[in-house]
Amino acid sequence: MPRFSVIVPVFKVQGFLRECLDSVLEQSYRDIEVIAVDDRSPDGCGAILDEYAARDPRVRVLHLPENVGLGRARNAGMPNATGDFLFFLDSDDTLTPGALRALADRLDETSDPDVLVFDYARTYWWGGTRRNVLAHVLAEAADTTFTVAERPQILDLLMVVWNKVYRRDFVLKHGFEFPPGYYEDTPWTFPVLLSADRIATLDRICLNYRQRRQGNILSTTSRKHFDIHDQYERVFAFLTARPEQASWRPYLHAKMGEHCLDILSKPDRLPPRDKAEFFRRTAELFRTHRPEGSTTAPELRVLEGSYQAYRAKRQTDRARRELARRAGKLRTAAGVRLTRGRSALTARRPLDPDLVLYSASSHRGVLGDPGAIHRKAREIAPQLRGVWVVRDEETAALLPADVEHVLLDSPQYRQVAARATYFVNNVNWPGALAKRPGSVHIHTHQGTPLKYMGADLLERPGARHGFDVPQLLRRADRWDHSLVANLHSELVWERAYPCHFASARTGSPRNDILVNARKQGGLSEHGQAVRERLGIRAGHTVVLYAPTRRDYRRGGHVDRVDLARFAEDLGAGHTLLVRLHPTLATGPARGLGLAELHRRGVLVDATDEPHVEDVMLASDVLVTDYSAVMFDYANLDRPIVVHADDLGAYTASRGTYFDITAQAPGHVSRSYRELAWLLTSGTWQDEESARLRAGFRARYCEFDDGRAAERVVRTLLLGEEMPRPSAARIPAPASASGTGHDLLARS
């Protein structure tokens, strides 16, 4: 008996069907059966299904003699199912990698609940991806199983059949089946959830919900949308037949009104001539099933009046929004005029020679190189007043109590920005910030560049999608000093940002802590403290996996490594520490398994750790692909493994200044099998690894001597003399393009 019976109703989806089936059959978890129901599809779907069934015994095909519709096609598949759990997958959607394994693990963990609800992501035809905005409901319910009465917020999720798996015995016991019609999910999901004694959740994106540009049933203009009334009649009939469920009638009554009004408000659902009739039928249904003694929510009171009153209210609301929009534009224009006037007055005041304005990582707090410079300035130059620019009150609340700050675009920000002599940032300041004569802008960057940056992105239109290079360069015109940690960076920045700054060979201030940890040898007290804070067991070998984003995939995230498998393959005595690229921290990437694996203790998710230096100090070895973190990590003189299984695609889409596999900081893997072997065999820390690392550190850490922050403060803020870091000049990297000349050579 298989664990899952995946029932796939199929009708006119030949362009998507192979992708759907492959996403199921190529899962690492194989204890499944696929029951594909050909709903008399007039295209090539039937032949495709027969092809898959011929080569994979897990696939069975049921060819229906006539078209019966989505719900009844699912019904036709159910009697053929033998699995413990039913999974209804629409044939234009796909499973995410590792989804079935994650579902099976969660079912085992929760002792086979009646229903398991999981997360999904909408994937758009133009390449965009958006996660379910109510994913937090799944996370909040992760600790136990429950009933709807115990956690009614579960009903706020999208009431569809495909974001859940169902224990087959539970479905058979209650005789659940799908009715005919357009909105067949409604009278399935509400009764199923209300009847379940044990519901569990999985806070993981297991399914990609395809948003088709054309052909989506619910986006078709048709009278078929009147079907919603019949489906809610079935829901209310379910309640009537079960008096013990009567308490849910007010909720479902309101939900019905909201659902129908939402359909009515959409411009692409109902033919205009049918909207009045749809409103009247909705209002009649609303009156018929109103619970005795209930009060109507304000947003549903339109259903107690006429269609003419409903239309008048809609028009009034639209007019009010338009007036508010226009008033907002007028206020903005007036604010700009007022700000310019105030700025002109403030600009007449002299600069404060001791005022330093700091920002880091788009105003996200005391981070990176600016943070290290600020801390050193407070230590050796207390006369300097350091003020941080932060993006919002939430960020400000996380700052240390003794750090002075202003909110971006606030009057206080404009006042301080107009008076500051020094500006320190690792990301460009807003374009509205005017550079006053006598002010000094210090740009620290965010690490040594491997991928193309700045003006070099003009050669990579895909990588600069939505990226205004001319505007970027106009902002870089304000730089006076550009900090560099190596000659490679100096050449890149001067090529990528053809502006008028001077390169400052200071080293990277944020790396001082790493250099000094290397000089001390072994795991520093700081690193040990970080391990304890992260809950890493004493004596464990800590493997830090830090992948970068991909420009060849919209959204930037690509699953290159199965994290659960990687953690398992590392074996006892190891902890897998994962840190995603900061731009992926709030997107779907963590919902694709990372958050769930962290919750279960399979690995440690360190993506939210504010200081990447802490994460590096806590680790014994770095596994990365093309992330700039490797250049910083080399300062620790700890092993590095480069996992370059998609180097060709990455280089073609983003462009790299040199071939990282030819000048690697350690061993290189080009497949997961090679990566696992390097880690489990101990090769990651052999003599060859040490030799490669030493050469890499000499090239790319040449100005990092542990005193970079002090050097910036003394030489650029205080105007004092201080010896430059000693570093031997080395040849620039060889061309990665095979043209025979150095990509970074000065023209």
Side-chain angles (χ1 to χ4, degrees), residues 467-592:
F467 192 71
D468 190 339
V469 173
Q471 181 187 72
L472 173 69
L473 298 182
R474 286 193 295 271
R475 295 181 178 185
D477 284 333
R478 296 175 296 195
W479 301 352
D480 294 288
H481 302 284
S482 166
L483 305 192
V484 298
N486 48 64
L487 293 173
H488 163 76
S489 295
E490 183 172 319
L491 293 176
V492 167
W493 300 140
E494 291 182 9
R495 169 192 171 121
Y497 300 99
C499 304
H500 301 289
F501 57 82
S503 293
R505 298 180 179 179
T506 58
S508 296
R510 69 184 183 283
N511 287 342
D512 288 347
I513 190 172
L514 305 179
V515 175
N516 293 324
R518 183 188 79 230
K519 293 177 179 178
Q520 294 173 12
L523 185 65
S524 65
E525 292 183 7
H526 189 128
Q528 184 60 48
V530 174
R531 286 192 176 197
E532 293 174 0
R533 177 164 54 79
L534 294 176
I536 296 172
R537 295 181 182 179
H540 268 214
T541 297
V542 179
V543 179
L544 170 60
Y545 177 55
T548 193
R549 63 179 291 117
R550 301 303 200 271
D551 291 287
Y552 61 78
R553 176 69 61 84
R554 189 181 294 271
H557 178 69
V558 178
D559 280 323
R560 306 306 309 176
V561 172
D562 184 330
L563 296 178
R565 179 182 177 185
F566 191 25
E568 182 178 0
D569 287 344
L570 289 175
H574 293 76
T575 293
L576 179 59
L577 190 63
V578 179
R579 183 178 178 86
L580 297 179
H581 191 277
T583 61
L584 304 176
T586 58
R590 298 170 84 176
L592 286 166

Side-chain angles (χ1 to χ4, degrees), residues 633-674:
Y633 196 86
N635 282 291
L636 285 170
D637 195 25
R638 297 177 189 174
I640 302 173
V641 175
V642 175
H643 186 51
D645 63 336
D646 65 340
L647 179 62
Y650 185 87
T651 301
S653 60
R654 181 60 189 244
T656 56
Y657 289 111
F658 63 93
D659 183 355
I660 188 60
T661 63
Q663 300 183 41
H667 289 293
V668 176
S669 60
R670 298 183 184 275
S671 67
Y672 177 76
R673 182 178 181 181
E674 290 182 4

Side-chain angles (χ1 to χ4, degrees), residues 9 30 100 105 115 129 170 173 208 216 279 294 393 399-400 423 445 473-474 480 568 579 581 597 689:
R30 301 184 59 80
L100 292 180
D105 289 347
V115 181
T129 302
F170 163 71
K173 173 185 175 183
N208 288 321
N216 188 315
F279 177 88
S294 67
E393 292 284 6
L399 297 176
F423 294 78
H445 303 282
L473 298 182
R474 286 193 295 271
D480 294 288
E568 182 178 0
R579 183 178 178 86
H581 191 277
L597 293 174
S689 171

